[in-house]
């Protein structure tokens, strides 16, 4: 996830910048939206002074990074975001901790910004330059740690982008800033990737005792999946299909009465059912394989086993797998 943050003084062009980036595929979030929602709940007008006061109050009550933290909760992994209205250093630091974050300071001269304020005609905006400057100075810095610290945000920005009037020039400056982003993704290893998928497959299990799943992968692609449960066309375990599981039998006891197939077993059988060879592949299981599944792993030609949790009473199975030359690894996730 890439997050671009905008900080800057009133009417500098942050809204114009966010609109430009949304055209490039970024999703838009504003820290001020959290404050506006709170103002609406209180029946207050969204004037600039009201928003400043409510924002300071939220930081005092919930922590100086509260606005960023609430905004991050509304973001989805895999998407890139542009965030404006960053007015406190803690807000920027919270966003930085969440992913690849860059903070841009949008700058424009005070006279030009005041002119833009008059043109947009928002409720509560100052009508004189002196009033505009007075209100702005309240945002610069404060002895109150929860109050806006705009000057500090400007100082910690990665880049200043000037917006002095020409839209095309401003957009070129934004493009240049995007090209210079330092982005690094924390990608899972292939073992972590496939084990994560196996854990999701386990959610499909209908077994009353435990939900287990396995996937078989070869050449970095999945060729089969399986989860534990009763055989095809037999009543699901959670619907009473397996008396042993529904009686919550003691682990390792009455296994000959269990009607459920294991995740590894189903993954291997499904591959055979569809005519897919698993020779030379790796099986990823959310539990280490039992003795029966270990025999199937060896005879089906699988060469590597990665498991997440140790299955009870499986010392003999693991010993046999090693004797057969099967590589065994325990997952780190």
């Amino acid at each position: 996830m890439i997050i671009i943050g905008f900080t800057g003084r009133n009417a500098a062009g942050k809204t114009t910048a966010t609109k430009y980036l949304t055209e490039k595929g970024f999703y838009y979030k504003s820290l001020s939206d959290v404050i506006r929602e709170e103002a609406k709940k209180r029946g207050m007008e969204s004037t600039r002074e009201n928003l400043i006061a409510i924002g300071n109050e939220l930081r005092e009550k919930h922590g100086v990074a509260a606005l960023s933290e609430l905004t991050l909760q509304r973001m989805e992994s895999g998407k890139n975001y542009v965030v404006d209205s960053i007015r406190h250093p803690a807000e920027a630091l919270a966003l930085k901790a969440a992913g690849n974050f860059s903070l841009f300071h949008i700058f424009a001269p005070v006279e030009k910004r005041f002119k833009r304020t008059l043109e947009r005609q928002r409720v509560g905006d100052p009508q004189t330059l002196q009033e505009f400057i007075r209100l702005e100075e309240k945002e610069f810095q404060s002895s109150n740690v929860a109050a806006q610290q705009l000057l500090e945000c400007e100082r910690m920005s990665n880049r200043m982008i000037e917006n002095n009037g020409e839209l095309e020039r401003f957009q070129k400056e934004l493009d240049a800033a995007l090209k210079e982003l330092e982005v690094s993704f924390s990608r899972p290893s292939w073992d972590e990737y496939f084990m994560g998928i196996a854990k999701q497959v386990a959610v499909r299990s209908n077994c009353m005792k435990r939900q287990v799943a396995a996937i078989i992968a070869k050449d970095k692609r999945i060729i089969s999946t399986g989860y534990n449960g009763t055989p095809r066309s037999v009543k699901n375990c959670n619907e009473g299909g397996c008396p042993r599981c529904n009686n919550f039998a003691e682990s390792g006891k009455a296994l000959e009465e269990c009607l459920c197939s294991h995740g590894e077993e189903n993954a291997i059988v499904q591959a055979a059912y569809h005519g897919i060879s698993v020779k030379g592949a790796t099986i990823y299981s959310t539990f280490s394989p039992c003795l029966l599944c270990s025999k199937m792993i060896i005879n089906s030609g699988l060469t590597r086993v990665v498991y997440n949790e140790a299955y009870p009473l499986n010392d003999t199975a693991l010993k046999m797998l090693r004797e057969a030359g099967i590589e065994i690894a325990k997952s780190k996730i």
Side-chain angles (χ1 to χ4, degrees):
M1 179 167 61
I2 298 172
I3 304 175
I4 305 296
F6 287 130
T7 190
R9 305 182 189 184
N10 195 36
K14 299 185 295 297
T15 300
T16 301
T18 56
K19 287 181 178 178
Y20 184 62
L21 263 61
T22 55
E23 293 173 359
K24 291 179 172 290
F26 284 80
Y27 290 82
Y28 171 67
K29 295 290 181 184
S30 173
L31 302 192
S32 292
D33 286 344
V34 176
I35 305 174
R36 290 190 182 95
E37 288 173 11
E38 185 63 26
K40 186 177 181 180
K41 289 179 185 177
R42 301 181 186 186
M44 300 172 62
E45 287 190 61
S46 295
T47 64
R48 189 174 169 194
E49 285 192 292
N50 283 345
L51 295 179
I52 291 173
I54 294 173
N56 293 346
E57 182 186 330
L58 290 174
R59 295 187 193 95
E60 289 175 351
K61 186 176 181 180
H62 302 291
V64 288
L67 301 182
S68 282
E69 290 169 354
L70 289 169
T71 301
L72 284 166
Q73 292 175 13
R74 305 175 185 188
M75 293 184 180
E76 301 176 35
S77 60
K79 293 182 178 179
N80 295 332
Y81 289 90
V82 54
V83 181
D84 73 359
S85 301
I86 298 171
R87 298 187 175 92
H88 196 286
E91 294 167 350
L93 292 173
L95 292 169
K96 185 176 182 179
N100 295 282
F101 175 72
S102 295
L103 182 62
F104 295 162
H105 168 207
I106 308 299
F107 172 81
V110 63
E111 293 84 2
K112 190 169 288 292
R113 291 188 291 107
F114 175 61
K115 182 181 177 183
R116 291 172 185 162
T117 300
L118 293 177
E119 290 173 349
R120 68 189 184 188
Q121 297 181 340
R122 287 184 183 173
V123 176
D125 274 351
Q127 299 301 303
T128 67
L129 180 59
Q130 291 75 18
E131 186 184 0
F132 180 81
I133 293 173
R134 178 191 62 79
L135 187 58
E136 185 169 78
E137 287 175 347
K138 289 184 178 181
E139 303 178 6
F140 285 169
Q141 56 190 5
S142 173
S143 57
N144 179 2
V145 294
Q148 295 187 22
Q149 309 284 344
L150 195 56
L151 292 181
E152 185 58 33
C153 287
E154 292 176 0
R155 281 192 286 267
M156 69 187 297
S157 63
N158 302 94
R159 179 168 181 153
M160 185 183 79
I161 301 175
E162 187 172 353
N163 178 27
N164 202 14
E166 296 180 10
L167 179 60
E168 186 176 349
R169 180 180 176 184
F170 184 41
Q171 292 174 341
K172 286 182 178 179
E173 288 287 327
L174 289 168
D175 287 337
L178 291 176
K179 289 179 181 178
E180 295 177 4
L181 289 178
E182 294 183 6
V183 177
S184 61
F185 292 109
S186 179
R187 303 174 70 194
S189 67
W190 284 109
D191 280 355
E192 292 169 337
Y193 171 72
F194 288 125
M195 186 58 72
I197 296 173
K199 287 182 176 182
Q200 187 60 40
V201 173
V203 178
R204 280 284 302 167
S205 169
N206 59 60
C207 182
M208 293 294 291
K209 286 280 284 181
R210 60 167 58 88
Q211 291 181 302
V212 183
I215 68 170
I216 300 174
K218 187 175 183 180
D219 298 328
K220 299 178 181 178
R221 68 184 183 91
I222 296 170
I223 58 177
S224 184
T225 67
Y227 50 84
N228 63 326
T230 51
R232 183 184 287 113
S233 301
V234 175
K235 185 187 295 185
N236 288 332
C237 181
N238 65 311
E239 296 171 338
C242 178
R244 177 186 177 274
C245 290
N246 281 270
N247 288 330
F248 294 95
E250 185 179 343
S251 295
K253 300 289 182 67
L255 294 176
E256 69 280 1
E257 298 176 6
C258 184
L259 300 187
C260 290
S261 298
H262 288 188
E264 303 95 325
E265 180 183 358
N266 275 334
I268 294 170
V269 169
Q270 282 300 309
Y273 182 83
H274 293 286
I276 300 170
S277 172
V278 298
K279 185 178 180 180
T282 297
I283 187 166
Y284 295 84
S285 179
T286 55
F287 276 81
S288 57
C290 69
L291 187 59
L292 175 63
C293 289
S294 295
K295 295 175 186 177
M296 295 183 69
I297 287 169
I298 294 168
N299 288 338
S300 65
L302 290 163
T303 56
R304 186 167 180 261
V305 173
V306 180
Y307 70 92
N308 186 53
E309 293 186 49
Y311 189 83
L313 309 173
N314 75 331
D315 290 345
T316 302
L318 293 178
K319 182 179 178 181
M320 183 179 65
L321 287 169
R322 292 191 179 97
E323 183 181 346
I326 305 295
E327 181 185 346
I328 302 172
K330 190 176 187 307
S331 173
K332 296 179 181 179
I333 63 169

